[in-house]
Amino acid sequence: MENISEIKSGFIDYLKDKYGDEESSKIKSYSPELSIFMYSSDFQQYLVGNGYADVSVFSKSISEIKDMLSSGENKTEADAPNEEGVNESPDVNTGENVIQNNNTNGMNQVGDSFLITALTDVVNNDQDLFSAFNTNSNGTIDAEEITAFLDSVEAAMQADPDSYETIFDGIAKGIQEIKGAETSPESILESIYESEEALEYLDLDGDGKISDLEKELFESYVQGDNEELNAEDLQKVLEQMKNGTFDYDVELPEDALSVKDIPETDSNDTASTSSSPAQSSAGSVGSSGGVSGGSYSGNTTSSNNNVQSAPDDINDMNLEQLQQERETRQANVTSAQENVDGITSDIEDFQNGDYKDAREAYEKALEEDENISEELKEKISENLDNIEKTTSDITSLNSDISQTKTDLSSAETQVDADEKNIAALESAINSYSGDLTEEEAAAKQKAQTQLDTLKETTLPQHEQERDALDEKLNGEDGLLAQLKAKEEELEGYKQERDNLENTIQEMIESNSANLSDETVEAFETFREAEQHLEELQTQLPDAQEQLSSALTELEEVDALINEKQAEKLERENSNSEFDFDFNETLTDSMKSEIEKVKQIFEENKDKYEAVEEATGIPAELVAAIHYREGSCNFDTYLHNGEPLGQTTTLVPKDVYFEDWTEAAIDALLNHGGDISQLEEGNLDSYLYYAECYNGLGYSYRDIASPYVWSGTDKYTGGMFVADGVFDGSYKDTRPGVAVIMKELCS
C-alpha cells in the first residue's frame, strides 16, 4: 500500500474532481482525517476503486459495530419500534433529518457521511441503536448528541492519523461513550484498580499488588446483598478512596491460598462482569466461581511473547524440555562424530594422494642415486613402510574407538533406564496393599509382569551388550590398549625416521656425497608432505576429546530423562494415591461425558503429562480443568476458550500461542492459583487450586462449587447461570473436577 499521506492527498483530489470548484473551498477547510469522515461513503468508493481495500473490509467493520450496539440499554417506551422492530412515529427525527437541518459546526456537511449512509436505516429500525444515540431519552437525536459522537471520532482519528481504519475504531469508541461505557461497572473497577489509592485499601497481604483474590473480596464487599455490582456504588467507593473516607474492614481468609491472575472469563464456567458472546466454545450453560458469578481482574500483564522457555539448569527441566535438550545434545554428538570422521577421511585422502606421490618420487630418486648406499636405501624404505602401516592402524583404531564409545554410551544409558524402571515398578507394586478390587489386582499383576520381563530378560540382555562393548574398548587387549601400543610403536619408527632423514640432510649440506638434484628436491618435497600429514594427525585427538565431551553431556541429560520416565512409569502403575472422600451422584449424561474425557485423556496423555512436568499439577487435574474450560478441545486456549493461533481478546488479553501445551502451561502458571501452595499428593490442595482457578464466588455463598463438586454428594445445587446472576434452584449438569479426577486416577 502507498504511504497513507499519499492516500489522503489523493482522496482530497478525488473529492475536488467529483464535486467541482463550488465545494473545493469547503473541502480545503477540513483536515484529511475529517474529510475522510465527512465524505466516508466517497472514501470507501475511492479506496475500493483504487485497489486499496475490498468492500468486505467496510461491511465487516459495520457489522461489528452493529453487533456491539445490539447490547444497547436505555430503551425508550415513547416512540419505540413496534413488535416487528420498526419505528412508526413520524415525530422522531432520524440522524439524517437533524444533521441536514442544523448548520452548527458544519453538521450540514455530514449528510453524505458514513454515519448516515451506513446507519440511518438501522437507527430508524433498531430501538437499541436509537437509544444509544438518544442519550437524553427525549425521543429525538439532536445535533448536540451527534456532535458528541463526532468529537469522539475526531479525537480517535487524531490519536492515530496514519491509518484510515481508525475511523471504525473512532465510531466504536464514540458509540461506547454515548452509551455511557465510561460509567459501566467494568470501567469503574478498572479505574479503581489502576488508582494509587487502591493499593492502600485493597493490598491486604502487603505484597505491593492487588491479587485476584483481593479483587474478589473487594467486589463481594461492595456488592453486598445486591444481585450484581452497581456502577453508582463503585463510583462512590472510588470517590471515597480518593478523599480517604472509604471504610473497608476486610481480611484475607486465614487458610486461603494466594490466588494470582485468575482468568476473568473461561469458556464454560465463568460468567464474568464483562461477558462476550464469543466466550463459550463448548456451548454449555455458564457457571462461575467468581464474585457474583464473576472474577473481574482488571488489566492483565500478558504479552504476545508468551513462549515457555526452558530453564538454564537441566535439573529444573521437565520431561518435554529434557527431550528437546537431548535432541540438541545428540546433534552435538553427531557433529563431533562427523568432525572426527572428516579429519580421519582427510588423513586417509592425503596419505593416498599427495603423500603417496611424494614418497614414491623420493624412493625413486634414492633408487636412481648411485651416491647413496644400498643399505641406507633399504633402511629408509623399510622405515617408511613401518610408519605408513602403523599410522594406518592408528587411524583405523581411532575410528573404531569413536564408534565404540558412542555405542557404549547408548548401552549404559539403556541399562540405567532399565534399573530405574525396575525400581519404579517395585515401588508401584508396593502401593497395592490390603484387599484389592478386581481392577486393582489386574493393575498390580500387569506391573508385576512388566517387572519380571525387565529383570529376567531386558536388563540382562542390555547388561551383556554393555559389558561386551566395555571389554572391547577398555579390556586388557581392548581398543584403547591396542592404540597405546601402536602409538608407542609409531614413536619408535618416527625416531628412526628422524635419524635417517638427518643422515640424508647432512649429506646434502656437506655436499660430500654429491647427491643428485633429483634426490635433494624429492627429499625436501617428501619432508613437507610428512609435516602436513602430522599436522592433520594432531587435529584428531582434539576432535576425539570434543566427541567424548559431547557424549558425556548427552549421558547427563539421558540420566535425567530416564529418571523422569521412571517416575511416569511408577505413576501409571501405582494404585491411586488420592483418597476421594465423596460419593458419586452421576447421571447417565455425566457418565457419558466422563467416558469421553477418559478416552481423550488416554489418547493425549503425553500432552497432559508434559503440562504436569512443567507445572507440578497432576495430569488428571489438568485434563479435568481442560474439560470444564473447553470440553478438552486442543484447538483452544486453556486461559479462556478462545481459538489458538490468535491473540486473545478476552481476559487475559494479548496472549498468543499456537501450541496447546505451551498455552496450558502459561495459563496454569501465570493465570491460575498459586502453584507454590500446592502440596504433592494432597488432593485437597489440588481441588482448592481448581476452585481458585474458576473463582471463589461459591465459597462466599457457602455452597459447594459445581466446577469442582458437580456429580458428587457434596454438591446439591445452585449455580451462576449468567454474569452476576445466581440461581439457587439451578443444578449443574456437567461432571465437576473432583469426580473427573477420580475416574481418571482409577
Side-chain angles (χ1 to χ4, degrees):
M1 180 179 286
E2 297 180 34
N3 186 284
I4 192 66
S5 63
E6 296 176 0
I7 294 175
K8 292 176 182 176
S9 175
F11 175 60
I12 292 179
D13 291 337
Y14 169 86
L15 291 178
K16 293 175 182 176
D17 291 339
K18 180 174 181 178
Y19 294 106
D21 294 335
E22 184 175 341
E23 288 288 316
S24 292
S25 59
K26 297 178 181 179
I27 293 171
K28 289 179 182 178
S29 67
Y30 301 121
S31 66
E33 291 79 18
L34 190 53
S35 295
I36 289 172
F37 177 78
M38 292 293 195
Y39 297 88
S40 59
S41 62
D42 291 323
F43 187 53
Q44 293 179 37
Q45 296 171 18
Y46 169 74
L47 290 174
V48 174
N50 287 274
Y52 293 130
D54 187 84
V55 176
S56 61
V57 174
F58 300 98
S59 61
K60 179 174 182 288
S61 299
I62 296 169
S63 174
E64 288 173 351
I65 294 169
K66 292 178 181 178
D67 289 343
M68 182 187 70
L69 291 168
S70 66
S71 61
E73 301 171 358
N74 304 323
K75 292 184 181 296
T76 306
E77 293 185 8
D79 302 325
N82 61 19
E83 292 180 358
E84 285 73 33
V86 178
N87 192 331
E88 297 179 319
S89 172
D91 299 324
V92 178
N93 292 325
T94 66
E96 183 174 10
N97 291 335
V98 173
I99 293 171
Q100 289 181 337
N101 293 320
N102 245 293
N103 291 326
T104 305
N105 297 328
M107 297 304 295
N108 58 315
Q109 296 298 322
V110 194
D112 193 36
S113 71
F114 171 87
L115 175 65
I116 301 308
T117 58
L119 300 180
T120 295
D121 290 342
V122 182
V123 171
N124 231 9
N125 293 280
D126 188 318
Q127 178 63 63
D128 291 342
L129 181 58
F130 182 89
S131 298
F133 282 91
N134 185 210
T135 55
N136 59 15
S137 302
N138 66 354
T140 301
I141 300 176
D142 56 31
E144 183 179 352
E145 290 166 329
I146 296 296
T147 300
F149 171 76
L150 179 57
D151 288 343
S152 68
V153 173
E154 285 187 87
M157 288 192 292
Q158 289 170 3
D160 186 11
D162 290 331
S163 172
Y164 66 83
E165 292 176 351
T166 56
I167 185 171
F168 301 112
D169 297 333
I171 290 172
K173 181 175 182 294
I175 293 173
Q176 287 175 339
E177 290 181 357
I178 291 173
K179 290 176 67 176
E182 71 279 2
T183 60
S184 67
E186 297 90 342
S187 298
I188 301 174
L189 277 172
E190 185 171 344
S191 298
I192 290 174
Y193 295 142
E194 290 179 348
S195 68
E196 295 179 0
E197 294 80 8
L199 273 179
E200 178 182 348
Y201 289 101
L202 307 185
D203 181 19
L204 303 179
D205 57 9
D207 65 352
K209 59 184 179 181
I210 304 172
S211 69
D212 283 345
L213 176 57
E214 289 164 339
K215 291 177 181 179
E216 289 190 9
L217 292 171
F218 166 68
E219 292 168 26
S220 179
Y221 176 84
V222 175
Q223 181 175 328
D225 295 330
N226 296 329
E227 290 187 355
E228 59 184 15
L229 285 167
N230 182 284
E232 184 177 351
D233 291 340
L234 286 169
Q235 189 64 46
K236 289 179 181 178
V237 167
L238 179 58
E239 293 172 1
Q240 291 170 355
M241 283 185 174
K242 290 185 178 296
N243 60 35
T245 61
F246 181 44
D247 184 16
Y248 187 54
D249 185 19
V250 173
E251 296 181 357
L252 284 171
E254 292 183 3
D255 59 346
L257 299 178
S258 176
V259 183
K260 299 189 299 183
D261 299 326
I262 300 175
E264 176 181 343
T265 61
D266 60 63
S267 59
N268 298 307
D269 292 283
T270 302
S272 75
T273 58
S274 178
S275 66
S276 166
Q279 186 174 319
S280 176
S281 65
S284 62
V285 177
S287 67
S288 173
V291 176
S292 298
S295 53
Y296 181 84
S297 59
N299 293 335
T300 92
T301 57
S302 301
S303 73
N304 286 347
N305 298 318
N306 292 318
V307 178
Q308 186 70 20
S309 58
D312 293 331
D313 188 344
I314 62 172
N315 293 293
D316 296 329
M317 293 182 182
N318 59 46
L319 180 57
E320 183 180 16
Q321 291 166 338
L322 284 170
Q323 289 170 333
Q324 292 174 348
E325 178 68 17
R326 189 189 191 283
E327 291 180 6
T328 299
R329 297 193 179 196
Q330 180 60 63
N332 292 340
V333 169
T334 302
S335 176
Q337 181 65 62
E338 289 174 350
N339 189 34
V340 170
D341 294 342
I343 293 173
T344 301
S345 179
D346 289 344
I347 291 172
E348 292 175 344
D349 289 345
F350 186 73
Q351 281 179 316
N352 296 324
D354 291 350
Y355 176 83
K356 181 179 179 181
D357 293 342
R359 178 185 169 177
E360 289 177 350
Y362 177 45
E363 288 182 312
K364 181 180 180 182
L366 290 174
E367 183 64 30
E368 293 176 352
D369 197 323
E370 297 178 352
N371 294 316
I372 299 177
S373 68
E374 292 300 322
E375 180 183 1
L376 181 57
K377 292 177 183 180
E378 289 176 3
K379 285 184 178 180
I380 291 174
S381 180
E382 183 181 357
N383 175 258
L384 292 179
D385 285 341
N386 289 333
I387 289 177
E388 186 171 332
K389 182 179 184 306
T390 307
T391 300
S392 178
D393 290 343
I394 289 175
T395 301
S396 179
L397 280 170
N398 276 322
S399 179
D400 201 359
I401 286 170
S402 296
Q403 186 58 55
T404 304
K405 282 183 176 180
T406 301
D407 294 341
L408 179 58
S409 175
S410 299
E412 288 174 337
T413 296
Q414 189 58 65
V415 170
D416 177 65
D418 293 341
E419 291 173 343
K420 286 175 178 173
N421 288 341
I422 287 171
L425 286 169
E426 288 175 341
S427 177
I429 290 169
N430 290 334
S431 70
Y432 294 90
S433 60
D435 295 332
L436 302 180
T437 65
E438 183 177 340
E439 195 174 72
E440 289 171 336
K444 181 178 180 181
Q445 183 56 49
K446 178 183 176 183
Q448 186 65 54
T449 301
Q450 287 182 269
L451 178 62
D452 293 342
T453 301
L454 272 172
K455 281 186 170 182
E456 297 170 8
T457 305
T458 308
L459 177 60
Q461 179 182 339
H462 288 151
E463 285 178 329
Q464 184 178 359
E465 293 172 356
R466 177 203 61 188
D467 293 345
L469 288 166
D470 183 64
E471 180 65 22
K472 178 182 178 182
L473 182 67
N474 300 307
E476 185 176 349
D477 296 321
L479 295 174
L480 292 177
Q482 294 176 41
L483 177 64
K484 182 178 180 182
K486 286 292 182 182
E487 287 176 338
E488 291 175 354
E489 186 178 342
L490 180 62
E491 283 302 312
Y493 292 139
K494 285 185 175 180
Q495 183 63 47
E496 182 184 3
R497 177 201 64 189
D498 292 343
N499 293 335
L500 292 170
E501 288 183 351
N502 286 337
T503 299
I504 298 295
Q505 185 65 38
E506 289 174 1
M507 293 171 68
I508 293 173
E509 291 176 356
S510 67
N511 231 358
S512 59
N514 294 319
L515 298 182
S516 68
D517 292 339
E518 290 80 8
T519 299
V520 173
E521 183 179 355
F523 175 72
E524 295 296 340
T525 301
F526 179 63
R527 290 194 69 176
E528 290 177 3
E530 282 184 318
Q531 291 171 359
H532 183 67
L533 178 61
E534 290 186 356
E535 287 174 2
L536 290 175
Q537 290 169 336
T538 57
Q539 297 176 18
L540 199 55
D542 289 340
Q544 290 172 325
E545 182 61 32
Q546 291 175 1
L547 174 60
S548 296
S549 177
L551 285 170
T552 300
E553 292 180 353
L554 181 63
E555 289 168 1
E556 289 174 354
V557 76
D558 277 337
L560 290 173
I561 289 174
N562 289 341
E563 184 178 330
K564 296 288 187 183
Q565 290 178 330
E567 291 172 357
K568 176 181 176 182
L569 183 66
E570 181 177 353
R571 287 195 305 270
E572 291 175 343
N573 289 276
S574 295
N575 201 8
S576 173
E577 59 183 315
F578 303 126
D579 181 16
F580 293 96
D581 186 22
F582 57 79
N583 295 316
E584 297 179 2
T585 59
L586 296 172
T587 64
D588 289 342
S589 174
M590 288 180 176
K591 291 177 182 178
S592 176
E593 286 290 285
I594 289 176
E595 286 304 313
K596 294 177 184 177
V597 175
K598 289 170 72 174
Q599 180 179 349
I600 292 173
F601 181 74
E602 289 301 322
E603 293 174 352
N604 299 276
K605 188 179 288 187
D606 57 333
K607 293 183 180 179
Y608 291 120
E609 288 179 343
V611 177
E612 175 180 0
E613 289 293 332
T615 64
I617 298 176
E620 295 82 3
L621 177 55
V622 177
I625 291 175
H626 191 202
Y627 168 75
R628 291 296 303 197
E629 297 293 335
S631 295
C632 296
N633 185 345
F634 287 98
D635 293 327
T636 60
Y637 285 96
L638 192 65
H639 304 71
N640 54 24
E642 291 185 272
L644 284 171
Q646 301 178 19
T647 302
T648 59
T649 56
L650 304 177
V651 174
K653 297 180 179 179
D654 298 327
V655 174
Y656 181 82
F657 287 97
E658 295 181 358
D659 178 72
W660 180 86
T661 302
E662 292 182 352
I665 291 169
D666 177 73
L668 296 170
L669 287 180
N670 301 322
H671 304 283
D674 188 350
I675 297 292
S676 67
Q677 299 296 324
L678 291 173
E679 298 179 21
E680 184 175 357
N682 186 326
L683 179 63
D684 289 339
S685 76
Y686 294 144
L687 296 181
Y688 185 70
Y689 174 87
E691 184 167 1
C692 290
Y693 189 88
N694 176 241
L696 298 174
Y698 294 100
S699 171
Y700 300 140
R701 290 179 178 267
D702 199 27
I703 64 172
S705 165
Y707 187 91
V708 177
W709 298 109
S710 179
T712 76
D713 57 357
K714 293 184 180 293
Y715 172 68
T716 57
M719 187 172 177
F720 289 99
V721 295
D723 286 356
V725 180
F726 179 80
D727 187 342
S729 63
Y730 190 90
K731 190 170 184 178
D732 194 354
T733 59
R734 304 170 70 219
V737 167
V739 72
I740 294 174
M741 275 196 72
K742 178 180 179 181
E743 293 297 321
L744 294 180
C745 287
S746 66

